[in-house]
């Protein structure tokens, strides 16, 4: 009886007084919460009602150390000025627990940085504001001044289940000069399918220049796969060190996970370069998890470049491998264009391509011209519009080698329509005149490659053109008709005939829409207005 009473007392005390019973203990590591204030006067500590004006704060931008204000402000960890303007914008740092990290990260005007993230960089640029339309109509002569007359690259980002040979064929209909990329191909996929390489490495002759992106973490396997890629005729090999997918980064221990091991990435590059003659590049993020300081990024670049890699494609966001899925990793971590531009200045012998947040070819041209959107320059969200740009100081020391566009052209392929003209000073292909000419050319591609057609992959063949009318009348109808016609007529009609029927439906409800000139934005806006 006494034993039962004792057990009951213990259970009562356990459930009554222990708050976290049955729960795993949280990691109490602290992170720095950066909040933006736009008021001239602000309260730092409501309890004491202490007010400070902006002129009490040192306005000099300094990322290398925390600025101490006085003993009262020592209640807070730091105060870091951001942009000196008439609104008195600056940041106040305070500590939060990791438990609230992801929740606070999604709030407007906030971003999460680890304590060692406030690191020394070279700074942004001239604070004069430029509008996008004034800096994106042509490429300036920075690239022509160099002895080798380097042509900057416009690259279509590698995307799983998107950048297959059919999507690449559609891109080539619109632009002859854009650099195309494959989906990421895991090294063992090639090594275990030696007798069926055409399925994984096949591409059309007009796809050059084309890059094959490989994924993996074993230097030997990757070097053997690289030999197969070179034999298949690709122009370049890229190593994926930026994918935050759970399957890739956590289970597969490659992708963005490799950023935690720069020495291994160096060994991979070294082994591949021993086996192939074509260029080997690396695609990375600006950081991963808590390894997000600029000094870490610099160290990574120096380590990997010592193996002979002279071109880095940088997705200008850090990656959270736990807590965020791939889609969230493309939007929640703020863009950090400033880090990419600073790397260009620090390492003029290395080429850098900027990736992340580019929604149009005009934005790409502005970046190549040395202008960056204020919103994306400091890894923090602010209220500036996307059309406000600043000029990068000393940009001509080492201009961007290229810019990479991903989801924007997946959702609407017509964003690439002016690429050849704006960037390369070439006439756009005749097939890129209007949406009708693009679709007619793609119908011809489908007819010429009927061997790809089966009932199973009809959706895959027609998927690339689903977004061609995005933002225009008939967009939803076009997508719905493609879907319904595949389900209804796939056994009797081929893909070209299904596409033709969907185009007829668009002509019936939006006459002339398919014939609008692709690079005439004003005419398209006028059509939408009068529709």
């Amino acid at each position: 009886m006494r034993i039962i009473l004792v057990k009951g007392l213990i259970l009562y005390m356990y459930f009554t007084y222990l708050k976290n019973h049955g729960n795993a203990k949280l990691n109490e590591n602290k992170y720095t919460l950066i909040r933006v204030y736009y008021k001239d006067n602000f309260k730092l500590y409501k309890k004491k009602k202490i007010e400070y004006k902006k002129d009490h704060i040192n306005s000099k931008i300094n990322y290398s150390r925390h600025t101490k204000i006085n003993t009262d402000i020592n209640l807070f960890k730091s105060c870091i000025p951001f942009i000196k303007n008439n609104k008195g914008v600056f940041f106040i740092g305070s500590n939060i627990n990791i438990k609230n990290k992801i929740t606070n990260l999604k709030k407007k005007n906030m971003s999460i940085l680890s304590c060692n993230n406030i690191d020394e960089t070279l700074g942004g640029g001239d604070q004069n504001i430029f509008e996008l339309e004034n800096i994106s109509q042509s490429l300036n002569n920075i690239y022509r001044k160099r002895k080798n007359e380097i042509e900057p690259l416009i690259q279509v980002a590698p995307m799983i289940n998107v950048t297959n040979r059919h999507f690449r064929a559609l891109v080539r209909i619109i632009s002859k000069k854009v650099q195309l990329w494959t989906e990421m191909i895991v090294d063992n996929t090639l090594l275990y399918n030696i007798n069926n390489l055409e399925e994984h490495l096949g591409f059309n002759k007009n796809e050059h220049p084309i890059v094959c992106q490989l994924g993996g973490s074993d230097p030997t396997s990757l070097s053997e796969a690289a030999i197969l890629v070179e034999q298949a005729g690709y122009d370049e090999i890229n190593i994926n060190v930026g994918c935050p997918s759970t399957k890739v980064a956590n289970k597969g221990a490659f992708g963005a996970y490799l950023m935690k091991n720069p020495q291994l990435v160096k060994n991979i590059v070294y082994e591949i370069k021993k086996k192939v003659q074509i260029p080997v590049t690396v695609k990375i993020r600006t950081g991963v998890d808590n390894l997000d300081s600029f000094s870490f990024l610099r160290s990574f670049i120096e380590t990997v470049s010592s193996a002979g890699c002279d071109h880095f494609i940088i997705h200008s966001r850090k990656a959270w491998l736990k807590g965020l899925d791939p889609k969230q990793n493309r939007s929640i971590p703020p863009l950090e264009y400033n880090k990419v531009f600073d790397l260009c200045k620090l390492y003029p012998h290395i080429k850098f391509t900027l990736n992340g947040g580019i929604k149009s070819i005009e934005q790409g041209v502005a970046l190549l011209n040395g202008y960056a959107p204020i919103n994306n320059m400091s890894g923090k969200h602010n209220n500036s519009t996307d059309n406000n740009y600043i000029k990068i100081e000393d940009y001509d020391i080492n201009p961007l080698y290229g810019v990479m566009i991903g989801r924007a052209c997946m959702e609407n392929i017509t964003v690439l329509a002016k690429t050849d003209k704006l960037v390369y000073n070439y006439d756009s292909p005749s097939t890129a005149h209007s949406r009708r000419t693009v679709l007619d050319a793609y119908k011809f591609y489908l007819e010429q490659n009927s061997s790809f057609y089966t009932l199973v992959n009809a959706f895959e063949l027609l998927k690339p053109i689903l977004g061609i009318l995005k933002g225009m009348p008939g967009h939803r109808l076009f997508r719905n008709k493609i879907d319904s016609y595949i389900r209804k007529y796939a056994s009797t009609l081929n893909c070209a005939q299904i596409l033709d029927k969907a185009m007829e439906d668009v002509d019936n409800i939006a006459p002339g829409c398919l014939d609008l000139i692709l690079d005439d934005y004003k005419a398209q806006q006028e059509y939408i207005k009068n529709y």
Side-chain angles (χ1 to χ4, degrees):
M1 185 66 181
R2 291 180 179 178
I3 295 175
I4 295 175
L5 290 174
V6 171
K7 287 183 177 179
L9 180 61
I10 292 173
L11 290 173
Y12 174 79
M13 294 177 65
Y14 179 77
F15 286 102
T16 304
Y17 295 101
L18 297 181
K19 295 181 180 180
N20 289 326
H21 60 82
N23 295 331
K25 291 184 178 180
L26 289 173
N27 184 350
E28 294 298 330
N29 290 337
K30 301 290 185 179
Y31 291 78
T32 301
L33 171 63
I34 305 299
R35 186 190 299 267
V36 185
Y37 292 84
Y38 291 92
K39 297 180 180 179
D40 286 345
N41 298 308
F42 62 98
K43 294 181 180 180
L44 285 179
Y45 197 59
K46 291 183 178 180
K47 187 174 181 180
K48 291 192 174 185
K49 296 184 178 180
I50 301 173
E51 293 190 359
Y52 293 91
K53 294 184 178 180
K54 64 179 181 180
D55 55 5
H56 289 172
I57 298 174
N58 178 14
S59 62
K60 181 180 179 181
I61 297 177
N62 188 342
Y63 296 96
S64 63
R65 61 185 176 84
H66 298 302
T67 306
K68 300 295 183 181
I69 309 302
N70 55 35
T71 55
D72 291 322
I73 299 186
N74 284 336
L75 292 168
F76 291 82
K77 186 169 184 179
S78 63
C79 180
I80 307 165
F82 174 45
I83 298 176
K84 181 181 178 182
N85 60 20
N86 57 2
K87 293 183 179 180
V89 179
F90 43 84
F91 296 91
I92 302 299
S94 60
N95 286 335
I96 61 170
N97 290 330
I98 191 172
K99 180 179 179 181
N100 300 321
K101 178 176 61 177
I102 301 302
T103 302
N104 287 315
L105 184 59
K106 297 179 181 179
K107 292 182 180 179
K108 190 175 182 181
N109 291 340
M110 294 185 185
S111 63
I112 299 300
L113 306 172
S114 62
C115 291
N116 63 349
N117 194 35
I118 308 302
D119 207 341
E120 184 174 2
T121 66
L122 297 180
D126 189 351
Q127 294 302 313
N128 292 328
I129 306 300
F130 300 85
E131 292 187 358
L132 178 61
E133 62 181 357
N134 297 326
I135 56 177
S136 62
Q137 299 308 306
S138 63
L139 198 66
N140 62 30
N141 61 357
I142 292 176
Y143 298 90
R144 311 294 173 245
K145 290 180 180 179
R146 307 186 118 193
K147 293 181 179 179
N148 297 330
E149 294 193 357
I150 297 173
E151 278 192 332
L153 293 175
I154 300 294
Q155 300 162 297
V156 175
M159 293 173 279
I160 296 293
N161 297 324
V162 176
T163 51
N164 53 35
R165 66 190 305 169
H166 312 306
F167 180 85
R168 299 195 303 265
L170 179 62
V171 174
R172 197 52 85 215
I173 289 171
I174 291 181
S175 170
K176 300 297 183 185
K177 302 290 289 183
V178 164
Q179 187 187 63
L180 301 176
W181 285 48
T182 67
E183 307 170 79
M184 182 191 68
I185 305 173
V186 179
D187 51 2
N188 287 332
T189 300
L190 300 180
L191 299 179
Y192 295 159
N193 292 277
I194 296 293
N195 297 324
N196 191 26
L197 291 178
E198 177 65 21
E199 179 182 347
H200 304 286
L201 292 178
F203 64 92
N204 302 310
K205 292 181 179 179
N206 70 340
E207 290 184 39
H208 293 286
I210 182 169
V211 180
C212 179
Q213 186 182 67
L214 292 177
S217 58
D218 179 61
T220 302
S221 297
L222 281 167
S223 62
E224 292 174 355
I227 294 173
L228 300 176
V229 171
E230 184 178 45
Q231 291 174 349
Y234 282 85
D235 301 300
E236 185 177 303
I237 294 170
N238 177 265
I239 309 303
N240 186 329
V241 191
C243 179
S245 167
T246 302
K247 292 182 180 179
V248 171
N250 294 331
K251 295 181 181 179
F254 59 98
Y257 184 85
L258 286 175
M259 283 203 74
K260 297 183 177 184
N261 193 344
Q263 188 62 43
L264 177 57
V265 180
K266 174 184 174 180
N267 294 339
I268 290 172
V269 172
Y270 178 75
E271 289 298 323
I272 293 177
K273 288 188 72 67
K274 284 199 309 183
K275 301 290 181 64
V276 301
Q277 300 299 315
I278 58 178
V280 179
T281 63
V282 177
K283 189 173 189 292
I284 64 174
R285 293 269 184 148
T286 56
V288 57
D289 292 337
N290 296 327
L291 300 174
D292 56 4
S293 67
F294 187 67
S295 60
F296 168 78
L297 184 58
R298 288 182 60 181
S299 176
F300 184 94
I301 295 294
E302 290 170 1
T303 300
V304 178
S305 63
S306 67
C309 178
D310 63 352
H311 183 193
F312 292 85
I313 297 87
I314 304 180
H315 188 151
S316 52
R317 286 185 174 95
K318 66 177 291 183
W320 285 106
L321 299 186
K322 293 184 179 180
L324 297 181
D325 60 31
K327 182 178 180 180
Q328 291 171 321
N329 263 304
R330 293 193 299 268
S331 58
I332 292 179
L335 290 162
E336 299 176 300
Y337 285 0
N338 58 313
K339 289 186 176 181
V340 181
F341 286 114
D342 289 344
L343 288 173
C344 290
K345 300 172 190 176
L346 287 169
Y347 305 103
H349 61 290
I350 297 177
K351 295 175 285 191
F352 294 96
T353 290
L354 189 149
N355 174 221
I358 303 172
K359 300 176 182 178
S360 68
I361 191 61
E362 287 79 10
Q363 290 181 1
V365 170
L367 288 165
L368 290 172
N369 282 339
Y371 298 87
I374 296 176
N375 278 345
N376 305 338
M377 275 301 291
S378 297
K380 307 170 183 70
H381 304 291
N382 63 57
N383 290 338
S384 178
T385 67
D386 290 337
N387 287 328
N388 290 340
Y389 282 66
I390 57 173
K391 186 171 179 59
I392 303 301
E393 292 178 353
D394 301 321
Y395 176 70
D396 57 349
I397 292 176
N398 183 23
L400 288 173
Y401 187 68
V403 293
M404 178 175 279
I405 304 177
R407 300 285 155 177
C409 62
M410 177 199 75
E411 295 170 356
N412 182 4
I413 196 67
T414 64
V415 300
L416 298 173
K418 299 172 71 174
T419 301
D420 291 3
K421 185 176 181 180
L422 288 181
V423 179
Y424 301 102
N425 200 27
Y426 279 81
D427 291 335
S428 299
S430 59
T431 52
H433 178 74
S434 66
R435 288 174 175 81
R436 188 181 302 280
T437 59
V438 172
L439 293 175
D440 284 342
Y442 193 68
K443 280 194 298 182
F444 180 75
Y445 165 79
L446 294 173
E447 292 168 352
Q448 294 296 310
N449 295 275
S450 57
S451 60
F452 291 121
Y453 179 72
T454 65
L455 296 179
V456 177
N457 67 7
F459 285 101
E460 181 181 329
L461 286 166
L462 291 172
K463 179 182 176 181
I465 49 89
L466 291 180
I468 196 168
L469 279 164
K470 184 176 181 180
M472 301 297 295
H475 169 61
R476 181 173 296 180
L477 172 86
F478 182 71
R479 293 176 63 95
N480 290 342
K481 289 297 183 180
I482 290 287
D483 180 77
S484 62
Y485 288 159
I486 289 175
R487 299 177 189 278
K488 187 175 181 179
Y489 299 115
S491 59
T492 57
L493 299 178
N494 60 38
C495 287
Q497 293 169 322
I498 289 173
L499 175 56
D500 196 49
K501 284 180 65 65
M503 291 171 63
E504 290 178 4
D505 292 325
V506 173
D507 285 333
N508 290 333
I509 69 157
C513 181
L514 292 177
D515 298 306
L516 293 170
I517 299 174
L518 283 181
D519 60 4
D520 190 346
Y521 296 155
K522 290 183 178 180
Q524 295 181 53
Q525 293 301 316
E526 189 68 22
Y527 182 91
I528 295 172
K529 182 179 178 180
N530 297 328
Y531 178 72

